[in-house]
Amino acid sequence: MSNAGFYIFALVAIVIAALVLKHVITCLMRSIVIVVLLVILALAYYFFIGQYDPEMHDAVENALQKYAE
């Protein structure tokens, strides 16, 4: 392979690698954003909805009332 052929091959390889890398990074960034959003939603559920249990709240209130008496 001559020098010109090698340089053409190298340029084509760089262009293809850049396109593949762009696609992989785009998908990776989407995956990272989705995982971060799922973690935020899970934490929001746990802290704002999951912790409040009406039965536990009533049991604690009853225990505090009995202790106060």
Side-chain angles (χ1 to χ4, degrees):
M1 186 184 299
S2 67
N3 286 340
F6 176 74
Y7 287 122
I8 291 172
F9 173 74
L11 287 174
V12 169
I14 289 171
V15 169
I16 291 174
L19 291 174
V20 169
L21 190 63
K22 179 184 173 191
H23 180 69
V24 169
I25 288 175
T26 302
C27 290
L28 184 63
M29 290 303 291
R30 283 184 192 158
S31 299
I32 290 172
V33 168
I34 288 172
V35 167
V36 168
L37 288 175
L38 288 174
V39 167
I40 289 171
L41 287 173
L43 289 173
Y45 175 79
Y46 176 74
F47 284 116
F48 295 112
I49 297 171
Q51 282 187 340
Y52 182 73
D53 185 7
E55 293 176 8
M56 181 64 76
H57 180 72
D58 293 340
V60 170
E61 288 293 323
N62 291 338
L64 288 174
Q65 286 176 357
K66 287 181 184 177
Y67 180 75
E69 294 175 353

